[in-house]
Amino acid sequence: MKRNYLLAAILVTSLMLMQGCSSSKTSTTTFTTNVTNENGETTTHTKTTTVEDGEVSTEESTVVTDADGVTMTDDGFVRNDENVDLRDEWHKIFNYGCEGVSEAGDTIFLAYDDPDLTFAAMMVIDKDNYLTLYDYGEVKEEDDAYVIYDVDGDHYVPFSVTESEDDYIVVEFKDGDVATLNTVDQDTIINDMVSVIEDINTEAEE
């Protein structure tokens, strides 16, 4: 009988050890990099890797903060921190603007820093009132067109200015859509564009 009790004790101990070895294990590692370019824009990339029971999952996010402190998320929208008044920040960046409706029925907003178009923001809102394009970044001239290089690096908006007067410009996009954009003052273009961003951010929080 003693031998049987000893054998039972060994079996119970072995089972406990096996259960301990098979218990779930989770580890999480976060790696963050910050890169600032010559324009003063800082890109913060965060990668979080989680290992659970041998299964690996990864989450990544990118946030870009420009030289004026405006923070953009990797989906291109402004993250409105409590200490950032976007209208004040954009007044430091954009001095000019124009807006109008394209032949395809899209509403287009364009804000830019100076007549040479070196930095700009553009929004396109379709007939169903959906924001289909929002790019914010440096502008370069390529192949007789202006190209907005979005700060997150994912979007590029080529468009040509085919006609320009004091009170309007005519722009043509790569897909052939044409829009006459009427010149508006600084307050109007900034208020109209920031209002779109605020509405989107409010909907995202609800």
Side-chain angles (χ1 to χ4, degrees):
M1 293 292 291
K2 289 183 180 179
R3 189 180 297 177
N4 289 340
Y5 281 126
L6 180 60
L7 179 60
I10 292 173
L11 288 173
V12 170
T13 302
S14 299
L15 287 171
M16 291 175 65
L17 289 172
M18 290 175 63
Q19 289 174 350
C21 291
S22 63
S23 61
S24 63
K25 295 182 179 180
T26 303
S27 64
T28 302
T29 304
T30 300
F31 183 71
T32 301
T33 59
N34 292 285
V35 178
T36 302
N37 64 19
E38 58 185 11
N39 297 319
E41 298 168 351
T42 300
T43 300
T44 301
H45 183 79
T46 302
K47 181 178 181 179
T48 301
T49 302
T50 301
V51 180
E52 184 173 2
D53 293 337
E55 296 292 330
V56 180
S57 61
T58 302
E59 293 183 0
E60 297 186 56
S61 65
T62 302
V63 173
V64 178
T65 303
D66 68 20
D68 294 294
V70 178
T71 302
M72 316 287 290
T73 60
D74 54 1
D75 58 6
F77 295 119
V78 172
R79 190 173 63 191
N80 228 345
D81 297 328
E82 292 181 0
N83 60 342
V84 175
D85 187 322
L86 193 56
R87 285 177 173 78
D88 288 345
E89 293 298 330
W90 276 27
H91 270 87
K92 301 174 186 176
I93 303 170
F94 301 122
N95 299 305
Y96 303 90
C98 51
E99 51 190 58
V101 179
S102 74
E103 293 178 352
D106 297 330
T107 298
I108 299 172
F109 298 117
L110 175 64
Y112 50 99
D113 55 350
D114 58 57
D116 292 329
L117 279 177
T118 58
F119 200 90
M122 177 180 284
M123 290 180 177
V124 177
I125 301 172
D126 68 13
K127 292 179 289 187
D128 297 320
N129 205 34
Y130 286 104
L131 180 66
T132 59
L133 182 145
Y134 170 37
D135 277 353
Y136 170 99
E138 185 180 3
V139 181
K140 297 181 180 180
E141 290 188 61
E142 298 179 5
D143 299 326
D144 297 324
Y146 293 104
V147 181
I148 299 177
Y149 281 86
D150 194 69
V151 292
D152 67 9
D154 291 339
H155 307 103
Y156 306 98
V157 184
F159 63 95
S160 300
V161 178
T162 59
E163 189 175 343
S164 177
E165 299 293 342
D166 291 339
D167 56 348
Y168 73 91
I169 64 172
V170 178
V171 299
E172 183 174 351
F173 295 93
K174 190 176 181 179
D175 62 1
D177 195 16
V178 177
T180 299
L181 307 180
N182 298 311
T183 301
V184 295
D185 60 40
Q186 183 189 42
D187 288 337
T188 298
I189 190 64
I190 290 175
N191 183 69
D192 288 348
M193 295 183 75
V194 172
S195 293
V196 173
I197 296 170
E198 290 174 339
D199 288 345
I200 292 173
N201 287 341
T202 298
E203 290 177 4
E205 292 172 358
E206 293 178 348

